Amino acid sequence: MNEVTDLQPVPRARAMPPFRAMQLLAEARRLESQGRDIIHMEVGEPDFKTPQHIIEAAFQAAKNGFTSYTPAEGIAELREALADTYEARYGVEVNPDRFIVTVGSSPALWLIFSAILEPGDVVMMCDPHYACYPNDVRYIGGEPVTFPVRSQDGFRLDPGESWSKNVDRAKAFLVNSPSNPTGAVVDHDDWRELAELPVPYIISDEIYHGIEYGVKSHSALEYRPDAFVVSGFSKLYAMTGWRLGWIICPENFIEPLRRIHQNLFLCASSFVQKAGIAALTGPQGEIKKMVETYDKRRVFIVGALRDMGFDVPVEPKGAFYILTDARHLDENSERLSHRLLNEAGVAVTPGIDFGQEAEGFLRFSYATSIESIAEGMKRIKGWIDSL
Ligand SMILES: Cc1ncc(COP(=O)(O)O)c(C=O)c1O
């Protein structure tokens, strides 16, 4: 029997906005179940399978009985492998104790916000931004404050712009490079200036590190040793469903964050942590090939979009997204993406998902085969020609 109740979630819970990209995916799946053929360019995850040696490591660990809780902060072997990786990639020495292994980078962000924000504290971030950031900040009781970055500047997070004068009002400044949804990468000089901003906390979301084209991502730790870093295995290692990520926190936060993590999550999955070690220390050839493949698709899609009359002033340099102005077709990105889905059979994410500044834009994910991208572009071109 169904329960009938007047009980309601608290307003804070009711106010949590949906993830529009997921709603669009659900609508696309509904159309597919009716027999429609849909090209998926809305999905923010690699289309590649996790490399076999990583799967094997998890499998072996589970078979060997490595199936119990681990310490809340994660197993030492993984935290040491992570510390070695930071030394090798960025030349920074990080005490393995500063790592907290999490169930992906999403809860890592929550843990950090919950440990640094008092009610009303401001977190500054650029717009467009990853859809979840302001939602998470609000849910914790903080206040997200955004500033624009623009397509014609390659969505550069330029520390010389006027927004930087307001940073002293913020408790934290959030950087995401390479960026979802813009693909912009913060370079060495800009990082140097960002690190000087008069803001207590810098939080650096480095989840797309390693997926970059002709440039190299820098870790916030190269410039601000006390920065909070959030990252994970989802994107570079094609491990979205494994749910494995990490925080690097300043020394003073190690104990409180371990306790919060323990209370909320106990720990990340034990044998998945073993898979993480294999990802970091095993062969990297397959990973390199994935990134080369994303690059080929990137070049292809930039060309195809430009040929169709979309404005792509600066090519994305990282991640696997391109955010392009589509206001010549429709100022309302949600309406446009629904029309593209229903009338052209192509699923793309509406820019409004990533902030007000991205309204009228569309985010294309090129984490799909070049054949699919070509077919998607052909369908969109046909749709535009028919208007
Ligand atoms: C910028 C950014 N940060 C964090 C995440 C969350 O990644 P995960 O929780 O899988 O580590 C995503 C996922 O799309 C993302 O795009």
Side-chain angles (χ1 to χ4, degrees):
M1 200 174 74
N2 282 337
E3 191 190 2
V4 181
T5 175
D6 290 332
L7 296 175
Q8 288 287 344
V10 294
R12 186 185 68 231
R14 288 207 302 270
M16 181 58 91
F19 219 56
R20 286 193 187 85
M22 289 303 172
Q23 285 186 323
L24 203 91
L25 177 63
E27 194 178 333
R29 296 271 182 249
R30 189 181 54 79
L31 291 174
E32 283 172 326
S33 72
Q34 294 167 358
R36 286 284 303 278
D37 175 54
I38 305 294
I39 297 291
H40 290 277
M41 301 185 77
E42 81 283 34
V43 190
E45 64 179 331
D47 54 319
F48 298 108
K49 298 286 170 234
T50 304
Q52 203 58 35
H53 69 278
I54 301 177
I55 297 174
E56 215 42 66
F59 200 54
Q60 270 312 325
K63 271 179 144 177
N64 293 342
F66 195 70
T67 53
S68 307
Y69 294 135
T70 74
E73 65 274 20
I75 54 177
E77 199 187 346
L78 174 55
R79 289 184 291 104
E80 278 154 21
L82 282 166
D84 290 347
T85 304
Y86 275 78
E87 171 117 51
R89 279 193 198 155
Y90 312 108
V92 291
E93 214 176 297
V94 191
N95 174 357
D97 284 345
R98 288 176 55 198
F99 286 86
I100 295 177
V101 176
T102 56
V103 187
S105 63
S106 306
L109 283 162
W110 275 63
L111 285 167
I112 294 169
F113 292 144
S114 75
I116 66 170
L117 296 181
E118 306 256 31
D121 277 349
V122 166
V123 180
M124 263 185 97
M125 63 190 77
C126 67
D127 179 352
H129 50 70
Y130 176 48
C132 298
Y133 292 154
N135 305 344
D136 292 358
V137 169
R138 273 193 207 100
Y139 199 75
I140 300 284
E143 193 196 330
V145 170
T146 61
F147 59 89
V149 287
R150 295 189 185 80
S151 167
Q152 62 269 28
D153 308 322
F155 297 105
R156 176 180 169 205
L157 231 176
D158 182 353
E161 290 248 354
S162 57
W163 58 262
S164 64
K165 302 200 174 40
N166 300 325
V167 162
D168 56 0
R169 287 186 228 147
K171 183 81 168 278
F173 183 75
L174 186 50
V175 182
N176 171 220
S177 167
S179 153
N180 174 10
T182 69
V185 175
V186 177
D187 69 16
H188 168 72
D189 289 340
D190 285 349
W191 252 128
R192 255 201 340 217
E193 280 189 58
L194 291 173
E196 298 286 313
L197 291 175
V199 61
Y201 297 106
I202 287 198
I203 306 170
S204 177
D205 180 347
E206 304 186 350
I207 185 81
Y208 290 99
H209 273 220
I211 307 178
E212 58 245 354
Y213 316 107
V215 293
K216 187 180 168 295
S217 293
H218 292 281
S219 172
L221 295 178
E222 294 172 51
Y223 309 91
R224 275 277 285 248
D226 65 349
F228 278 94
V229 169
V230 169
S231 194
F233 292 88
S234 289
K235 312 292 179 173
L236 182 61
Y237 298 99
M239 290 175 69
T240 46
W242 294 70
R243 313 307 307 130
L244 191 64
W246 64 86
I247 294 171
I248 305 174
C249 64
E251 302 273 348
N252 287 348
F253 284 81
I254 296 173
E255 281 308 321
L257 275 178
R258 282 183 180 184
R259 288 197 302 271
I260 302 169
H261 190 237
Q262 187 173 46
N263 276 274
L264 286 179
F265 301 100
L266 284 179
C267 63
S269 161
S270 51
F271 49 88
V272 168
Q273 293 185 51
K274 291 282 191 183
I277 297 168
L280 295 172
T281 61
Q284 301 295 307
E286 209 174 325
I287 308 297
K288 197 164 160 265
K289 259 199 220 129
M290 290 184 207
V291 177
E292 285 165 4
T293 307
Y294 293 137
D295 193 13
K296 287 197 189 109
R297 298 165 176 178
R298 178 186 70 108
V299 171
F300 179 79
I301 194 170
V302 166
L305 287 171
R306 282 178 175 160
D307 284 351
M308 269 191 276
F310 286 92
D311 188 26
V312 186
V314 181
E315 292 179 7
K317 294 195 173 64
F320 35 65
Y321 309 108
I322 179 161
L323 184 72
T324 182
D325 196 339
R327 283 174 294 187
H328 59 294
L329 297 173
D330 193 335
E331 300 257 325
N332 182 317
S333 60
E334 199 159 11
R335 184 170 55 210
L336 179 59
S337 62
H338 278 95
R339 284 193 73 189
L340 283 172
L341 177 61
N342 284 286
E343 296 168 24
V346 182
V348 294
T349 310
I352 190 68
D353 223 8
F354 308 101
Q356 211 52 51
E357 292 292 326
E359 177 55 312
F361 285 60
L362 295 173
R363 188 196 73 174
F364 294 80
S365 162
Y366 48 90
T368 188
S369 72
I370 210 145
E371 292 76 21
S372 287
I373 298 171
E375 175 62 22
M377 295 295 110
K378 197 173 110 195
R379 289 184 191 185
I380 293 175
K381 185 168 187 320
W383 183 79
I384 294 173
D385 290 346
S386 75
L387 290 179

